[in-house]
Amino acid sequence: MQADRDAIRILRRGKTVEIPDFSPTETLLDYLRLRDHAIGTKEGCAEGDCGACTVAIGRLDGNGGVVYRPVNACIHLLGMADGAEVVTVEDLATDDRLHPIQQAMVDHDASQCGFCTPGFVMALFALYHRSSPEESGRAAVNDAIAGNLCRCTGYKPIVAAALEACKAPALDGFGTIETARKLAGLDDDKSLFVGDETRFFAAPATIDELASLYVLHPDATLVAGATDVGLWITKQMRPIERVIHLGRVAALNSIADTGDALVIGAATTYAEAWDALTALDPDIAEVLRRLGSPQVRAAGTVGGNIANGSPIGDTPPLLIVLGSEITLRRGAQTRVVPLQDFFIDYGKQDRGPGEFVESIHVPKPGPHTQIRAYKISKRFDQDISAVLAAFAFDIVAGEIRDARVAFGGMAGIPKRAGSAEAALRGAGLRDFDRWTEAFDALVSDFTPMSDHRASAGYRLQVARNLLYKALVEVSGAETGTTRLVGYREHDDALRT
Ligand SMILES: Cc1cc2nc3c(=O)[nH]c(=O)nc-3n(C[C@H](O)[C@H](O)[C@H](O)COP(=O)(O)OP(=O)(O)OC[C@H]3O[C@@H](n4cnc5c(N)ncnc54)[C@H](O)[C@@H]3O)c2cc1C
Ligand code: FES
Ligand code: FES
């Protein structure tokens, strides 16, 4: 085994910067503002919601190029940026020329107080780098800025600026072959360990090293995308002394397509898993489009969405109705658990000390399976679900042979509706009495909570309505009659 590396290395303005001295919980935003003096990047909410702190992270795309993703620097740990190019708003203009995004913002009067502007510019910089004439329309722009809040200018001029700048992106000096070469130079296979046994930021390079380190330090905090853990630091002020980051373990950052299933490494981000997951079903694509924002999806991981055990995580109900299983690993031992059994009770999962989620096995829907999924939240963009409903109906010759129904937000865990499923199993597609039995059964399946997102009564009513909507849709009614929004009518809309 090679010796560990004891400093992170990032690419800043074309130069490699080595950072040996940092606290395990230092955020990228604090590093940029307080140490790099890149104060163009702003701090608004410090919880990933406003986008003022957006910077672009450049990494190799696997095809010899560089991909830029927007991240919220306020909840991104500095150590997680190891091996990446970090681009901030002050890096974009050359001596005498603004970047096309900046110029368009000026031309369209798209800034007033200016506090949000650097974040918008960086979110759009990431869009600019993946835009093509086919993929630079209004829908792509709206999605790209879903994680950025502006309270005084209004979005119309910002969208106009983005549409103009992104319609024909030109070379802007970023993402060059030279940058790719430099990033490749940062990419070694050494494990990273900064600190000592009592206080450290570690990023193992292999899964075996990760497994050994976590057995040695079962009380360390595993960090994948830090879209939850970041808030423990910035909002809850939790003292976190030992961090093990999963981002450098190649085996956890991979997707394999076995033909009838996907095997997703637990630390695969939503953005990386996008193509594979959205291809499973248009409704899954629609839920993912509304999961957080581009910044959250660039960092947050599928495994983190499961391991955090949240009752309102968006992916668990979807993955449960698909029949997913997860592989857990402790040391050299692995075991496989059906995802639905992983969630035991609120805050309690089937995971022992030193054990981590290694991968998620997601069966693809078969030819007779109809999937429907709906996210109900107060805002359309960037909001946590009040209720997330997922349905998988196996339908043969007009009969529901099997029904898998799972909800988030209806219990302390993501949970299947066993009684409603039983009522539907074997029912004819238009057997309205059986439908009604299933609606009524939801009351025995769930005792939801009332909280600031929704009352228990609302949640039960909405669950009933969503089951009704799903049944109407799969029983043959025109999809368009039951939907205000959704990819089932807009097949041009799949995008990251
Ligand atoms: C602004 C904002 C909006 C959001 N919107 C949504 C939304 O719409 N829908 C939604 O579902 N979520 C949302 N979230 C929550 C968050 O993005 C997800 O829960 C995310 O999936 C967590 O993944 P992560 O990789 O960032 O996890 P982290 O924050 O890194 O970790 C979360 C927890 O999981 C543990 N963990 C991570 N990976 C593993 C592993 N492989 N094995 C064992 N333990 C592990 C960590 O130790 C920690 O306890 C939002 C968050 C923010 C900040
Ligand atoms: S400061 Fe609001 S998202 Fe980071
Ligand atoms: S310009 Fe003031 S918040 Fe956007």
Side-chain angles (χ1 to χ4, degrees):
M1 193 171 79
Q2 304 188 46
D4 288 342
R5 185 149 51 80
D6 59 5
I8 63 162
R9 298 179 308 204
I10 61 174
L11 197 60
R12 282 287 286 145
R13 301 172 183 137
K15 294 201 171 58
T16 298
V17 180
E18 198 161 284
I19 310 167
D21 54 329
F22 62 94
S23 128
T25 54
E26 182 170 347
T27 63
L28 179 57
L29 181 64
D30 278 353
Y31 169 79
L32 289 170
R33 287 184 59 84
L34 304 177
R35 296 216 258 165
D36 193 56
H37 306 297
I39 54 173
T41 307
K42 304 301 180 201
E43 177 166 6
C45 64
E47 59 181 64
D49 267 320
C50 76
C53 64
T54 303
V55 300
I57 294 283
R59 291 198 185 269
L60 293 173
D61 65 3
N63 298 313
V66 180
V67 56
Y68 289 102
R69 304 243 190 238
V71 302
N72 291 314
C74 66
I75 53 170
H76 207 76
L77 302 187
L78 172 61
M80 293 165 61
D82 180 53
E85 182 188 13
V86 178
V87 184
T88 64
V89 72
E90 42 274 279
D91 305 339
L92 300 194
T94 50
D95 288 340
D96 56 349
R97 208 158 46 91
L98 291 177
H99 187 277
I101 295 286
Q102 293 170 311
Q103 188 60 55
M105 293 284 280
V106 172
D107 294 345
H108 286 268
D109 298 322
S111 178
Q112 285 187 53
C113 80
F115 196 81
C116 70
T117 309
F120 273 99
V121 168
M122 294 314 298
L124 292 172
F125 169 82
L127 176 68
Y128 185 86
H129 272 268
R130 62 165 198 278
S131 283
S132 59
E134 302 79 50
E135 211 190 323
S136 58
R138 186 171 294 274
V141 168
N142 287 345
D143 277 354
I145 58 173
N148 293 78
L149 296 180
C150 176
R151 65 187 172 165
C152 52
T153 300
Y155 295 85
K156 196 173 169 190
I158 298 173
V159 171
L163 284 171
E164 181 181 296
C166 293
K167 72 176 178 235
L171 295 180
D172 63 355
F174 289 90
T176 60
I177 294 171
E178 179 63 6
T179 305
R181 194 185 59 74
K182 287 178 182 169
L183 286 174
L186 297 185
D187 196 13
D188 64 16
D189 55 0
K190 289 185 181 178
S191 284
L192 179 73
F193 193 94
V194 180
D196 57 34
E197 294 295 308
T198 58
R199 192 164 190 262
F200 61 76
F201 182 96
T206 68
I207 194 142
D208 290 343
E209 286 172 276
L210 164 66
S212 308
L213 187 68
Y214 197 31
V215 166
L216 204 60
H217 295 285
D219 57 345
T221 301
L222 291 185
V223 171
T227 59
D228 282 333
V229 174
L231 278 72
W232 303 356
I233 295 164
T234 61
K235 291 287 147 172
Q236 298 172 8
M237 311 297 169
R238 284 199 213 174
I240 295 176
E241 300 294 341
R242 289 178 285 269
V243 167
I244 301 176
H245 178 45
L246 309 178
R248 298 188 70 235
V249 180
L252 293 183
N253 290 274
S254 63
I255 302 177
D257 188 332
T258 64
D260 56 2
L262 300 173
V263 183
I264 303 175
T268 307
T269 64
Y270 301 117
E272 289 158 349
W274 181 271
D275 287 345
L277 285 175
T278 56
L280 293 176
D281 186 86
D283 271 24
I284 293 175
E286 179 62 10
V287 169
L288 288 182
R289 181 168 77 95
R290 293 182 53 208
L291 193 159
S293 60
Q295 289 90 327
V296 169
R297 295 193 295 271
T301 65
V302 181
N305 207 221
I306 291 168
N308 70 6
S310 167
I312 43 174
D314 282 341
T315 63
L318 304 177
L319 297 172
I320 286 173
V321 299
L322 291 168
S324 304
E325 296 175 324
I326 57 173
T327 299
L328 293 149
R329 174 164 172 173
R330 182 183 189 280
Q333 302 294 319
T334 58
R335 65 190 175 103
V336 175
V337 176
L339 180 56
Q340 66 195 52
D341 298 340
F342 177 68
F343 304 104
I344 298 170
D345 205 346
Y346 181 73
K348 190 171 174 210
Q349 298 88 44
D350 180 9
R351 183 164 77 87
E355 196 171 40
F356 60 91
V357 182
E358 188 179 75
S359 62
I360 305 110
H361 182 271
V362 187
K364 295 182 186 174
H368 300 295
T369 306
Q370 289 264 16
I371 302 291
R372 288 295 184 278
Y374 314 111
K375 172 167 176 159
I376 302 296
S377 55
K378 288 190 173 170
R379 289 192 313 254
F380 183 80
D381 282 320
Q382 169 105 311
D383 202 2
I384 304 287
S385 299
V387 174
L388 192 295
F391 307 94
F393 301 112
D394 294 344
I395 299 167
V396 180
E399 182 186 304
I400 301 176
R401 295 280 163 88
D402 194 14
R404 294 178 298 285
V405 175
F407 286 95
M410 292 290 289
I413 54 173
K415 187 170 172 279
R416 276 177 78 168
S419 311
E421 289 178 357
L424 290 172
R425 220 163 270 137
L429 261 188
R430 293 187 178 246
D431 189 340
F432 301 120
D433 290 341
R434 298 283 288 277
W435 288 18
T436 308
E437 261 179 58
F439 302 151
D440 293 344
L442 288 172
V443 180
S444 56
D445 282 326
F446 299 107
T447 314
M449 271 176 42
S450 291
D451 63 14
H452 61 284
R453 290 202 175 84
S455 67
Y458 172 87
R459 287 186 152 111
L460 267 176
Q461 183 65 52
V462 102
R464 188 185 173 102
N465 293 354
L466 293 177
L467 177 56
Y468 182 41
K469 173 179 158 95
L471 287 167
V472 168
E473 287 189 11
V474 300
S475 64
E478 285 294 315
T479 301
T481 60
T482 64
R483 288 180 174 237
L484 296 176
V485 290
Y487 284 130
R488 289 205 125 87
E489 293 80 52
H490 302 289
D491 58 1
D492 63 331
L494 291 180
R495 61 194 161 258
T496 49

